[in-house]
Amino acid sequence: MHEKLKTISSIDEIHSLIKVLKKEGKTIGFVPTMGYLHEGHLSLVRESKKNNDLTFVSIFVNPKQFAPAEDLSTYPRDLDKDIKLLSELETDYLFYPDTKDFYPNDFQTYVSVNEITKILEGEFRPTHFRGVTTVVAMLFNCVSPNNAYFGQKDAQQAAVIKQIVRDLKFDIKINICPIVRENDGLAMSSRNVFLNDKERLDALVLSRSLKLAEEIINEGEKETEKILNEMKKLINSVESSQLDYVSIVEAERFKITDKIENDKSYYILIACKIGKTRLIDNKLISF
Ligand code: PAF
């Protein structure tokens, strides 16, 4: 029988536990989250459980990745439900650090990535990735996983995390798992809860515009400007939408491109507000 989910908050405790588990030769899979878990997170937990002896999930709403005007105070939280979902999946450990322990008053060390953090999400949320890379490095140092699992929905975040792993020589394999969608195509996100009924329907324009882009590419269009213009027209036809960006980047280097070439993979990416809720989505296309 599987033992109950164990919750650890203390940093000393997780360090000691990880030493013991490593001595026993256990492989560790890790799913970092900010909680309010949905099927997207749970798919990462399932993937980790398939490939590791033990699975750790962290829940930490990281203040350093929210700008002052963003939604830190209203970010959805439901720890009891999260614990229930993780227990049902027979997750081994929940790491639930305390903000005061993670960021004591004299905290002054940051991890930042220079280039791929400047574009797209980085342009609209200039301090966001520094917060993400700092907390992910801290979480990696606490959990010391063999494998870490991230969702493709945050494709730029995944590219930035791969960069810190390469640059800082973390001995961790980064696994990117496919986007999980609702039946009608909306990418799962903790922020979907903020959408009212009308906005929930309007939000389908994100996945529809990605599908449209893919169709145009399949018809042979190579110039990204033309593809993006068609996406913009569709998105702007929805009154509640306010587009931040649509873009196409080379998947390998996460570099914005103006021409699609054969034999390469690309992400088509979109960030758009529906009413007051900012949503992101993307599609990976390969030739
Ligand atoms: O993707 C998220 O939920 C967060 O950005 C992460 C990776 C848990 C860091 O806070």
Side-chain angles (χ1 to χ4, degrees):
M1 214 186 84
H2 186 266
E3 283 188 42
K4 249 179 85 197
L5 175 76
K6 295 174 223 48
T7 301
I8 298 172
S9 288
S10 143
I11 294 166
D12 285 346
E13 201 183 319
I14 195 153
H15 277 153
S16 316
L17 170 70
I18 295 294
K19 266 190 211 131
V20 172
L21 298 176
K22 294 265 161 173
K23 240 194 194 145
E24 289 172 356
K26 298 274 199 272
T27 57
I28 295 173
F30 179 39
V31 181
T33 81
M34 297 206 298
Y36 211 71
L37 304 178
H38 52 68
E39 197 43 48
H41 299 111
L42 302 183
S43 71
L44 305 180
V45 175
R46 285 192 199 97
E47 193 56 29
S48 170
K49 282 184 63 72
K50 256 195 266 164
N51 296 299
N52 301 277
D53 295 326
L54 294 167
T55 291
F56 281 66
V57 173
S58 65
I59 295 181
F60 181 64
V61 183
N62 174 32
K64 298 228 183 262
Q65 68 189 73
F66 291 81
E70 291 180 354
D71 57 351
L72 172 63
S73 61
T74 54
Y75 195 81
R77 294 162 168 87
D78 190 344
L79 185 61
D80 290 342
K81 183 165 171 229
D82 289 346
I83 288 177
K84 187 166 172 283
L85 290 169
L86 292 175
S87 302
E88 279 166 13
L89 282 189
E90 304 194 338
T91 309
D92 301 289
Y93 291 96
L94 168 63
F95 181 41
Y96 185 66
D98 194 296
T99 310
K100 287 197 293 310
D101 293 338
F102 251 23
Y103 297 122
N105 286 338
D106 68 342
F107 185 88
Q108 49 190 299
T109 304
Y110 290 86
V111 174
S112 68
V113 172
N114 267 341
E115 280 170 38
I116 53 172
T117 54
K118 297 275 191 296
I119 57 169
L120 307 176
E121 284 302 288
E123 193 186 326
F124 285 87
R125 307 181 70 189
T127 56
H128 172 68
F129 283 122
R130 188 174 90 138
V132 171
T133 43
T134 300
V135 83
V136 168
M138 288 157 66
L139 290 164
F140 282 174
N141 280 331
C142 290
V143 178
S144 291
N146 304 80
N147 284 292
Y149 297 83
F150 295 87
Q152 186 203 302
K153 189 167 85 62
D154 294 288
Q156 190 173 3
Q157 167 174 282
V160 170
I161 287 165
K162 280 186 167 175
Q163 190 72 44
I164 62 164
V165 165
R166 272 201 304 279
D167 290 349
L168 301 182
K169 324 300 177 209
F170 280 105
D171 187 12
I172 298 171
K173 180 164 182 254
I174 303 300
N175 302 270
I176 311 301
C177 302
I179 298 177
V180 179
R181 297 181 181 280
E182 304 283 358
N183 288 338
D184 58 7
L186 182 69
M188 292 209 181
S189 162
S190 304
R191 289 188 171 98
N192 290 350
V193 71
F194 296 132
L195 300 168
N196 65 31
D197 290 352
K198 156 98 172 43
E199 290 168 345
R200 172 67 185 71
L201 278 177
D202 288 352
L204 294 178
V205 77
L206 278 88
S207 54
R208 284 205 187 117
S209 71
L210 292 169
K211 207 156 162 255
L212 174 69
E214 186 179 44
E215 278 162 18
I216 299 172
I217 293 168
N218 287 341
E219 280 162 14
E221 185 56 65
K222 301 280 181 210
E223 274 183 47
T224 59
E225 201 187 325
K226 290 194 182 148
I227 303 161
L228 298 176
N229 280 342
E230 290 307 312
M231 290 178 76
K232 283 180 200 163
K233 264 195 243 161
L234 178 62
I235 296 155
N236 292 333
S237 71
V238 172
E239 215 188 301
S240 66
S241 76
Q242 199 193 313
L243 184 63
D244 276 356
Y245 62 79
V246 278
S247 189
I248 300 185
V249 303
E250 280 176 35
E252 189 64 28
R253 296 184 301 154
F254 218 87
K255 211 168 176 301
I256 294 175
T257 185
D258 52 14
K259 271 235 147 27
I260 305 274
E261 290 169 41
N262 287 337
D263 305 324
K264 282 195 177 167
S265 299
Y266 296 91
Y267 283 115
I268 314 166
L269 302 130
I270 170 169
C272 181
K273 272 199 186 139
I274 299 291
K276 288 201 166 71
T277 307
R278 188 174 185 278
L279 301 174
I280 58 173
D281 197 354
N282 69 75
K283 201 175 225 334
L284 180 63
I285 48 165
S286 306
F287 294 96

